[in-house]
Amino acid sequence: MQSPARPSICSFVASDAGEEFFGMERVWGHKMRRTSSGSLWRLGSRVLKSPSLWNFHLFSGVDFKRRRTLICAVKGDAEGAFKKTVEIDRMIDALKDANPRELEKLVVENILAFDEGFWIRLAARSDTCKSDDDKKDYEELAATVMTIVDCVVNKTREKIESSTDVLKGILRPVVEGVEEISWPPRDPEAINQMEVEIIQREKEGQLDEGFLSEVSAQLRQAKEDKDKPGLAAMLQKVLQLYAATILSKRSYAKKGNEVVKSEHFLETLIKAPEEQWNKLFLDGLTIGKGQVTPDELSAVIKKRIERTLIRTEGGSYQQRILIEYLKGIESRANEIMKLLQG
């Protein structure tokens, strides 16, 4: 069962090193203490106690004997706590009834649902079991879920490190040998080298969702810091070059032997650096020296947005970046038209 109102796995992967991801890693990296009775139960590098499996401490030493009070305290009201408990119970039931393949899929799809409240509730249900067999089922379920979560955490950490290396490679032409980041770079050729890197790495399949989420997270952090305008502009350029590369892979400028002027003009804008857009608008639109009307340009931009929505995964970073790039062109065109008409 998909847990409502929870971040998807995309938002987890999207986190930058040192922000969301490592915050969640701290949540999942449970500190488990030995108790004085029961046999040892191992899970990877962790040592748990059985049958007193659930007498361990999570986070800042929350005692499971107070778990029912804590569930209510987290929400602040009984009704909210009840709804939360019902939601977790449904998740636990779905996990218990799932076969191995379905179980793995459920855990991955609801990865952020396995927080403190989940483990507290699972412990409570284990305590109410009347038979040792039922308790064992819960222990095995806990072990399996923890193993899958650990696997996701490790793979995501590796993916973030890999995406960071790809980003460093793309930025190398503009940062190599530079003591302080500035934008635009002193060497104009550096941007062309960045573009060559992006085109090559896209062909090699390196610019996937993990990479796009990493760049987006770094850009968000740079904007929040406000003291790194050069870095923010540089990362924004990376996303623009990526969008131009992907959108330029398909051309709609020809119908048979005829060239559709509005489509050709849009594709010229897509391939051009943002710094050249103003001149291109003045040369290409009828309000300047061109032959394409503003309405025709608006129509082909909307059509390209529709095509992009159809061809990309809904809610993906790729979809968002491509759509933002097209809307950026549209917004700049509107600004130029207002300026000329005003």
Side-chain angles (χ1 to χ4, degrees):
M1 184 195 80
Q2 183 102 9
S3 179
R6 293 192 182 277
S8 66
I9 186 66
C10 288
S11 66
F12 167 65
V13 172
S15 55
D16 59 307
E19 192 185 356
E20 283 181 79
F21 171 70
F22 288 108
M24 291 313 302
E25 188 184 28
R26 285 194 295 272
V27 171
W28 285 323
H30 305 313
K31 304 296 184 182
M32 302 183 181
R33 303 177 182 173
R34 295 174 62 104
T35 56
S36 59
S37 62
S39 59
L40 292 179
W41 182 56
R42 289 188 174 274
L43 173 61
S45 60
R46 300 189 181 96
V47 180
L48 309 182
K49 299 296 291 185
S50 176
S52 302
L53 170 63
W54 306 106
N55 293 331
F56 55 81
H57 299 261
L58 294 178
F59 308 95
S60 56
V62 176
D63 193 333
F64 272 64
K65 292 180 180 179
R66 297 185 292 121
R67 57 185 171 270
R68 293 179 182 83
T69 303
L70 285 171
I71 291 174
C72 294
V74 168
K75 284 294 183 179
D77 65 277
E79 183 179 356
F82 176 74
K83 290 180 179 179
K84 169 84 172 180
T85 303
V86 170
E87 178 184 321
I88 294 174
D89 280 340
R90 287 174 178 168
M91 171 66 74
I92 293 172
D93 291 338
L95 294 169
K96 284 181 62 182
D97 294 339
N99 61 42
R101 184 180 293 274
E102 292 170 342
L103 178 62
E104 182 176 348
K105 187 171 184 290
L106 276 171
V107 173
V108 172
E109 288 179 347
N110 299 277
I111 193 72
L112 297 184
F114 302 101
D115 54 10
E116 178 183 4
F118 174 85
W119 298 110
I120 290 174
R121 183 57 186 166
L122 193 57
R125 288 183 56 160
S126 176
D127 282 351
T128 60
C129 290
K130 296 181 180 179
S131 70
D132 291 339
D133 285 343
D134 289 341
K135 282 183 178 289
K136 187 65 176 177
D137 288 343
Y138 279 107
E139 291 178 10
E140 292 176 354
L141 177 63
T144 303
V145 172
M146 285 180 181
T147 300
I148 297 172
V149 169
D150 276 347
C151 181
V152 173
V153 170
N154 292 331
K155 285 184 178 296
T156 303
R157 185 191 296 112
E158 293 170 3
K159 188 63 182 174
I160 288 175
E161 292 171 354
S162 173
S163 297
T164 301
D165 290 340
V166 173
L167 179 57
K168 286 179 180 178
I170 291 171
L171 295 179
R172 187 173 291 112
V174 295
V175 300
E176 198 167 40
V178 177
E179 293 183 3
E180 186 174 346
I181 296 175
S182 62
W183 193 264
R186 293 181 178 85
D187 181 9
E189 182 60 26
I191 296 180
N192 293 332
Q193 294 174 13
M194 276 178 59
E195 185 173 11
V196 170
E197 281 285 331
I198 286 176
I199 292 172
Q200 181 60 35
R201 290 174 184 271
E202 194 279 327
K203 287 180 180 177
E204 295 172 359
Q206 296 182 22
L207 309 188
D208 55 11
E209 278 293 290
F211 168 78
L212 296 177
S213 68
E214 172 68 6
V215 179
S216 299
Q218 295 285 357
L219 176 59
R220 183 170 61 251
Q221 187 63 52
K223 288 180 177 179
E224 289 175 357
D225 292 345
K226 295 183 180 179
D227 60 345
K228 301 176 181 176
L231 177 59
M234 189 184 302
L235 294 170
Q236 187 68 52
K237 189 66 176 179
V238 170
L239 295 181
Q240 289 174 349
L241 290 173
Y242 168 81
T245 299
I246 299 301
L247 291 170
S248 297
K249 293 173 77 172
R250 285 179 176 271
S251 175
Y252 302 92
K254 281 191 175 182
K255 278 191 175 180
N257 295 324
E258 294 185 8
V259 174
V260 182
K261 292 179 181 179
S262 55
E263 290 281 9
H264 182 265
F265 181 50
L266 174 60
E267 290 174 11
T268 301
L269 289 165
I270 287 172
K271 295 175 183 178
E274 182 188 6
E275 297 77 20
Q276 296 180 13
W277 286 355
N278 290 358
K279 184 178 184 305
L280 288 171
F281 286 132
L282 292 175
D283 293 341
L285 292 174
T286 53
I287 56 174
K289 307 174 187 177
Q291 300 177 345
V292 178
T293 68
D295 287 343
E296 287 173 335
L297 176 60
S298 178
V300 292
I301 290 175
K302 285 181 171 57
K303 187 177 292 185
R304 184 62 69 97
I305 289 175
E306 290 173 1
R307 286 167 172 158
T308 302
L309 289 170
I310 292 171
R311 294 181 180 277
T312 55
E313 182 180 351
S316 65
Y317 277 90
Q318 182 189 54
Q319 184 180 87
R320 189 177 73 184
I321 290 165
L322 298 183
I323 297 300
E324 285 180 356
Y325 189 70
L326 291 169
K327 288 185 176 180
I329 294 175
E330 185 177 38
S331 176
R332 182 69 66 83
N334 292 335
E335 289 175 9
I336 293 295
M337 286 186 288
K338 287 180 181 178
L339 182 63
L340 293 176
Q341 292 170 351

